[in-house]
Amino acid sequence: MCGIIAYKGPKDAIEIVLKGLQQLEYRGYDSWGIGVKTQAGLDVFKKTGQIGKVNRSDIHLPESTIAIGHTRWATHGGVTETNAHPHQSPNKDIVVVHNGIVENFEELALHLSTPRVSETDTEIIAHLISQNMQQGFAHAVRETAKKLQGKSGFVAINKDTDEIAAVRSGSPLIVGIGENEYFIASDVTAFLQHTKKVMYLDNNEMVVINDAPHFYDADGKEVQKRIVDIDWEAGTSEKGDHAHYLIKEIMDQKHTIMAATNQDEEKLKRVADEIRNAYGTFLVGCGTAGKVCQTSEYFFSSIAHKHINAVVGSEFSNYHHYLTDKTLMIPVSQSGETMDVLDAMEIAKKKGVKIISLINVVGSTMMRESDDYFNVNAGVEKAVVSTKATTAQLSVLYLLAHAVAGTLQEGKSQLMNTASAVTDMLNPRYDARIRDLAQLLKGREDVIIIGRGANYPIALEAAIKLMEASYVHAQGFAGGELKHGPIALIEPGTPVIVLVNNDENKEATISNAKEVQSRGGVIIGVAPENNPAFSHWIKVPDVGDAAPIVNIIPMQMLAYHLAVLRGIDPDKPRNLAKSVTVK
Ligand code: M6R
């Protein structure tokens, strides 16, 4: 949450920081700001609202070669210009941008010589650096960082030197190395168009960029770092001819399921052995990634007859009693920065648990904190509403379940069939069909979604899609649970989406659909074949046990079209951010 970018180099720093913030906006978009260092000193420019369409000429700051910027997802203090970052020290000798939370900011504020002007926890950092400048900027930054509690990362500039300093204490910061130019950002996408060479800042480390980046540990000892090449194309993060990133990324699934299939078979078999031999395997994720974990629990059960525990990241601490050095943890995360999952990994590590993660962002904290990892290869996912990363994660876990079952080749060929079926499915006629259905649901405030087996967590995931993209209240249930309470919600016209496959759950799911139908509910069936119980039918290809991977796609499309029809920006739903880096 919150995006940071800093630049030092010969080019127009404001232009570079502005473009970087526009790339980072998915991390938070309630306000933004840029701070610069010029001959005359430090200056800042801040605004509430999204940075999306702002031009260089809109930013009233003097030219500079050193700038820092921030796009905000508010934690402390409302959405106002005063609370927007960057924050300044009272005498304006320090400017700071920050991501994360300073937990002890109220206590620290008691010792300030000048009261804060904002309600933020961040402002305290600027005050403290300014108060500690006697032994220089780098020293002041280090001493300030030592006083801060909680997980965060900040970047600071000062009026006297041409240095940029940054400290990472739990929130990601990556240094980009260009030709005589340097970047610091929360995420490589902010500077990918300028350089693919990065150096990673580890936790509790500080980097000071003057002539070049110098890294220091928490005691101030200089540490050596490697330059790593990131193999991500900037182009994959552009939306091209599509109206929104969300629909672009939905359509990307024509290729990304195939790309996810491209895994090292030896590694899959090795990890399959780890799963077979582990005294308990935990799949851990949040939000949509959590639903991927739940769905995969069914994959492992039905394909490999192996029980795996799916646990929501924020609940994992309640399972610590079961952890030993023979436990295996598989964290699943698109961003690789979700705080609840990183915290779960910390708990697991203390018990000696082996960690093999599924990541999509190369170089993310999760990737680097894991013993091993699978890259799900979905490419840059920008829309807050996760789509292609979801099906890529499902694909890799599907393969893994087959590897555990000893049927990896069978799984792989089934997945390749699925990938080509999705490519066929995602055509303009199909899109138009879903748009028509969205038209039908546009005015509804409640939608119920049901499924059995692996379609149950897919129903839960479909509900997340509809809620976050279109603000329609949607709720997923296991088909069999309807009669235990939720059926009371059905009245004439209530839309109920029913996910059905040609499997052992088919008959029972259709019975549930009929129970709803006889109470006046309008059934929208998502299935390979039509059924008299359906008022509307969304056809999906029959891909056998890989069905959850295709079933979620029309639900993603429905969420997208509903958002557009309801006048909502599908890429930036209210109150959300792409990477949830706070607790
Ligand atoms: O980056 P992660 O996969 O760890 O993110 C987890 C959730 O925050 C994320 O899936 C969230 O639920 C999305 N908005 C869903 O579309």
Side-chain angles (χ1 to χ4, degrees), residues 286-289 333-335 338 384-386 465 468 580:
C286 296
T288 288
S333 172
Q334 190 288 130
S335 62
T338 298
V384 167
V385 175
S386 181
K465 294 300 88 150
E468 65 179 342
V580 184

Side-chain angles (χ1 to χ4, degrees), residues 4 10 97 142 155 170-172 207 258-259 300 305 325 329 360 367 404 441-442 469 473 479 541 560 569 572 578:
I4 290 176
V97 290
R142 185 179 310 120
V155 181
S171 296
V207 61
M258 192 61 94
F300 282 97
H305 306 163
D325 58 2
M329 180 191 207
N360 189 44
M367 175 184 127
V404 174
L441 296 180
K442 178 176 126 184
H473 172 242
Y560 170 73
D569 178 352
K572 297 193 187 95
K578 180 85 180 149

Side-chain angles (χ1 to χ4, degrees), residues 280-284 308-309 311 316 319 322-323 327-331:
T281 298
F282 287 87
L283 282 163
V284 182
I308 303 274
N309 308 282
V311 181
F316 187 76
Y319 289 76
Y322 305 116
L323 306 178
T327 311
L328 178 67
M329 180 191 207
I330 306 182

